[in-house]
């Protein structure tokens, strides 16, 4: 697929230099995409998938490493309001049975580092000064999210957002 020369658009996000292998197996009853790789906003992306076959199941694995957070959030457009820098690493593995409702299972992880997300408004900075409060960092700089999917439920095992002066640690579904 693509021979390392293709470009794909996914939700207005550009993947470049894409290549991989498409395989039709088990007497044309199973389709597999193997070693699909490319670049996405300065990082590397990969995927593999399969559907059909004797067990009538499906599976999808996708991941990325070192992608630019602003590129992923806005498709490359720049702004000073939210996510104007940072790197993203992420992976997701999903699968299920084609003939059984509620069979969706999966696991995933997302990590943003060296980021600048959700800056504090000017009014809050003024409030800090007038109340002689210790300075707070003006944006979140890391995010770590880990989750499981079971049927139609998404369970966060970790949903952590942090900056030098604040750390939010969350779990739940």
């Amino acid at each position: 697929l693509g021979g390392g020369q293709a470009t794909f658009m996914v939700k207005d996000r550009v993947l470049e230099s894409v290549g991989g292998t498409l395989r039709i197996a088990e007497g044309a009853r199973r389709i597999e995409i193997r070693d699909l790789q490319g670049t996405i906003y300065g990082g590397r992306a990969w995927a593999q998938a399969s559907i059909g076959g004797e067990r009538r199941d499906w599976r999808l694995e996708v991941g990325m490493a070192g992608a630019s957070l602003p590129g992923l959030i806005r498709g490359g457009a720049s702004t000073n309001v939210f996510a104007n820098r940072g790197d993203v690493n992420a992976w997701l593995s999903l699968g299920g049975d084609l003939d059984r409702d509620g069979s969706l299972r999966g696991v995933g992880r997302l990590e943003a580092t060296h980021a600048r997300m959700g800056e504090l408004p000017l009014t809050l900075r003024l409030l800090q000064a007038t109340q002689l409060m210790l300075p707070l960092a003006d944006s979140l700089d890391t995010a770590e999210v880990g989750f499981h999917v079971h049927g139609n439920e998404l369970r966060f095992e970790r949903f952590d957002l942090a900056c030098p002066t604040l750390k939010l640690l969350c779990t739940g579904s």
Side-chain angles (χ1 to χ4, degrees):
L1 294 172
Q5 303 298 314
T7 299
F8 287 101
M9 293 278 299
V10 179
K11 294 281 198 176
D12 296 327
R13 304 311 185 259
V14 180
L15 285 100
E16 300 176 309
S17 305
V18 178
T21 303
L22 174 66
R23 180 172 179 252
I24 300 174
E26 296 182 32
R29 292 184 356 187
R30 184 167 194 81
I31 298 173
E32 298 175 348
I33 297 174
R34 296 181 177 176
D35 302 320
L36 191 63
Q37 297 184 40
T39 60
I40 183 165
Y41 299 107
R44 189 172 74 77
W46 60 92
Q48 56 186 17
S50 65
I51 187 169
E54 204 171 289
R55 294 189 325 224
R56 298 203 31 84
D57 64 344
W58 66 275
R59 173 181 60 82
L60 170 69
E61 296 175 16
V62 296
M64 72 176 73
S68 162
L69 179 62
L72 293 171
I73 297 290
R74 292 178 303 283
S78 64
T79 179
N80 291 327
V81 178
F82 179 80
N84 62 355
R85 75 168 186 243
D87 300 314
V88 176
N89 299 317
W91 61 268
L92 172 67
S93 177
L94 292 173
D97 298 326
L98 291 172
D99 299 322
R100 192 166 54 102
D101 287 339
S103 68
L104 178 63
R105 302 284 183 272
V107 62
R109 180 168 178 76
L110 176 113
E111 175 183 284
T113 57
H114 314 295
R116 187 167 184 87
M117 304 175 284
E119 293 183 14
L120 293 177
L122 178 61
T123 54
L124 186 54
R125 291 182 196 161
L126 289 172
L127 179 64
Q128 288 175 333
T130 61
Q131 299 301 310
L132 302 175
M133 294 170 58
L134 291 174
L136 297 173
D138 61 357
S139 73
L140 298 169
D141 59 11
T142 61
E144 289 185 52
V145 179
F147 58 90
H148 275 88
V149 178
H150 187 270
N152 61 0
E153 182 175 304
L154 176 64
R155 170 112 179 117
F156 291 100
E157 293 165 351
R158 179 177 204 157
F159 197 106
D160 300 352
L161 303 172
C163 66
T165 58
L166 176 67
K167 192 168 196 173
L168 301 172
L169 306 174
C170 309
T171 61
S173 56

